[in-house]
Amino acid sequence: MASSLTAAGTQPSAPSFSGLRRTCPKLDTAAVPFSHRVNSSIRLVSSSHRSPRGVVAMAGSGKFFVGGNWKCNGTKDSIAKLVSDLNTATLEPDVDVVVSPPYVYIDQVKSSLTDRIEISGQNSWVSKGGAFTGEISVEQLKDIGCKWVILGHSERRHVIGENDEFIGKKAAYALSEGLGVIACIGEKLEEREAGKTFDVCFHQLKAFADAVPSWDRVVVAYEPVWAIGTGKVASPQQAQEVHVAVRDWLKKNVSEEVASKTRIIYGGSVNGGNCAELAKEEDIDGFLVGGASLKGPEFATIVNSVTSKKVAA
Ligand code: PGA
């Protein structure tokens, strides 16, 4: 997948950020009492593991990944303008870039958007299509040119009422049919305030882990519900603390290899102004962007925040 996303004819001359490793050992969150690790402000052990050389490293070995979730927005005209802005934007080569238009515009986007950017569905049915009024099947998403699907988004969980098990089954089916899955997890404000951030995220993660046959085509999106569409972005430290915990969970419950390879991206009020600081965090492997992905130049800025992973000194 990675190579298929490289701009046609573009030599990978830019430095590769994937695989940069931290130069000092990660603090083991398991060594910290759980009651200390889980609290509403979640300011635990982070930041102290920044490289002494000023190199901003990626803890994971996966390529930076930025997705634009257009949600239920747009018209034929506004989408034509957005596509045209994306087609002319300069995007760093070492980033997987995906956009997720509303279903009814996917065909329009597929036929007009540069191949540099892949397309995702915003949801998919749990099994083969058929008599399921109002649903979109994985087969149809593939037929129309999608390579990805977003599953478990908080709006699907909390507005529409999808549960963990159902979402896990959807992920398993989409993967079995060859789609990549952007697997969303994240806590509500009251859950964070009750000190349940890790519990909630791990529970949602486990539902994916119990269902999926392989993590090869899974990107985990940590999206705290209180940060989605609110303009209240998580601080880089708050995001990093959950990302490192998610990576450790994958290490302990799936495998070290999966923990290293799986991209863990952050979503929730990411914009052109805050992306660079967030991208510097070593366990943040990219972003899932809502509102700011509706503006081509700003989305390009977010894609290009991969450069913050470079030597900062
Ligand atoms: P937002 O949405 O960037 O508008 O907060 C993010 C998302 O829901 O994926």
Side-chain angles (χ1 to χ4, degrees), residues 69 71 153-155 223 227-231 267-270 288-292:
N69 177 7
K71 306 192 181 182
H153 190 278
S154 78
E155 287 143 19
E223 300 203 293
I228 295 178
T230 58
S269 297
V270 176
L288 185 57
V289 188

Side-chain angles (χ1 to χ4, degrees), residues 129-147:
F132 304 106
T133 303
E135 290 296 335
I136 310 285
S137 73
V138 168
E139 292 79 10
Q140 289 167 332
L141 290 179
K142 279 168 49 186
D143 186 41
I144 210 161
C146 291
K147 296 278 195 289

